[in-house]
Amino acid sequence: DQIFREAKLPLWLKPYEIIATGPHCGLIEVVSDALSVSSIKEKTGANATIVDYFRQQYGKPSSKKYQRAVDNFTNSLCAYSLVCYILQIKDRHNENILIDIAGHVLHIDFGFLLSNAPGKGLKFEKAPFKLTQEMLDVMGGEGSDTFRSFRQRMARGFVALQANAEKIIILVEMMLMGQSDLPCFEGGKSLIKELKDRLFPTNQRLSLEDARRHVDGLIQQSVNNWRTRCYD
């Protein structure tokens, strides 16, 4: 979140407080004014989509309220897609993805990341991040101006993360040294190499144009991925 803010990007994340009060317990901040995608579907009606919810919640697609919600959705989807890819956050089913009152996407439950995943070693979620047809439809589809903007914002966000990669890598290395018994650190030093490879796919910082090509590749792997659909 700090990296995106310092780069003056509109990308949006929802940091929330977690305080450890003992080796196996703690306090976690409640995420207010938000519902899981699963709950939204249940409340909106049978076979309802996220677009149906947006129309019910924000009115006509041509209204300013609706367009603002779509912009919030796009900015947050960009940010969380990048974070999910870089940190390999898994278990991204519809109970772990929320939408808040302003239309932002936000993720919860980070029990699987970096090297571990649900399925006892069978890593079913192979897509770089979750990007379903429903999410594309909120942005107006793959041919829309909003989706083109999504791709551009993703590329700029990736460049910002590369510029601050050392901060991210050092933080993970510190956690690995202090908590190496946690399941997400099972890969040891190899997971650090994999993290660096995701941040630097060509072993160097990318230009904005190269970042666009790289991010477009990640998006194409993620769009309506059959593994994502099956996991839902």
Side-chain angles (χ1 to χ4, degrees):
D1 182 61
Q2 290 173 354
I3 288 168
F4 294 147
R5 287 174 183 271
E6 287 172 5
K8 294 181 170 56
L9 295 175
L11 307 194
W12 185 95
L13 292 168
K14 172 63 175 175
Y16 49 87
E17 294 289 338
I18 301 173
I19 302 171
T21 57
H24 303 288
C25 58
L27 301 172
I28 183 168
E29 181 183 350
V30 173
V31 178
S32 60
D33 296 324
L35 288 171
S36 70
V37 172
S38 180
S39 296
I40 285 170
K41 286 172 172 290
E42 289 175 9
K43 291 178 181 295
T44 306
N47 302 316
T49 66
I50 301 173
V51 171
D52 293 330
Y53 168 75
F54 266 57
R55 287 175 176 164
Q56 188 180 95
Q57 185 74 22
Y58 307 113
K60 294 181 179 179
S62 59
S63 69
K64 287 184 178 179
K65 185 177 180 182
Y66 188 97
Q67 291 300 319
R68 186 162 51 249
V70 169
D71 196 48
N72 290 339
F73 181 91
T74 304
N75 284 327
S76 52
L77 184 62
C78 281
Y80 277 105
S81 296
L82 287 168
V83 171
C84 285
Y85 170 63
I86 296 298
L87 296 182
Q88 289 292 287
I89 298 171
K90 301 301 181 183
D91 202 25
R92 297 301 88 198
H93 54 74
N94 284 336
E95 287 287 354
N96 287 341
I97 300 176
L98 281 59
I99 297 177
D100 75 4
I101 196 70
H104 297 109
V105 173
L106 60 105
H107 286 236
I108 59 170
D109 191 349
F110 306 111
F112 296 95
L113 74 162
L114 292 174
S115 67
N116 68 330
K120 297 181 180 179
L122 177 64
K123 296 184 178 180
F124 193 80
E125 296 169 274
K126 294 287 189 181
F129 44 83
K130 186 168 185 173
L131 186 57
T132 64
Q133 187 61 49
E134 281 189 271
M135 294 171 169
L136 289 170
D137 290 343
V138 173
M139 293 186 284
E142 290 185 71
S144 67
D145 290 340
T146 302
F147 183 66
R148 280 190 286 274
S149 178
F150 169 80
R151 290 164 49 198
Q152 293 167 0
R153 295 178 210 184
M154 282 275 287
R156 289 166 60 202
F158 189 83
V159 168
L161 293 177
Q162 277 200 320
N164 292 271
E166 187 176 346
K167 297 176 184 176
I168 299 168
I169 294 165
I170 287 174
L171 183 61
V172 175
E173 285 177 330
M174 288 169 59
M175 293 168 66
L176 172 61
M177 291 170 61
Q179 299 287 344
S180 58
D181 60 330
L182 289 175
C184 62
F185 293 123
E186 285 177 357
K189 291 184 178 179
S190 65
L191 72 85
I192 300 297
K193 181 185 181 302
E194 291 166 2
L195 173 63
K196 290 177 180 178
D197 289 344
R198 287 191 295 274
L199 283 163
F200 298 100
T202 62
N203 295 320
Q204 59 185 2
R205 286 182 61 177
L206 302 179
S207 67
L208 181 57
E209 190 56 41
D210 287 337
R212 281 176 179 163
R213 283 193 286 269
H214 177 62
V215 164
D216 276 349
L218 298 176
I219 289 171
Q220 286 308 309
Q221 292 176 54
S222 301
V223 166
N224 218 16
N225 185 280
W226 71 271
R227 287 175 175 267
T228 302
R229 296 201 309 273
C230 288
Y231 195 72
D232 270 341

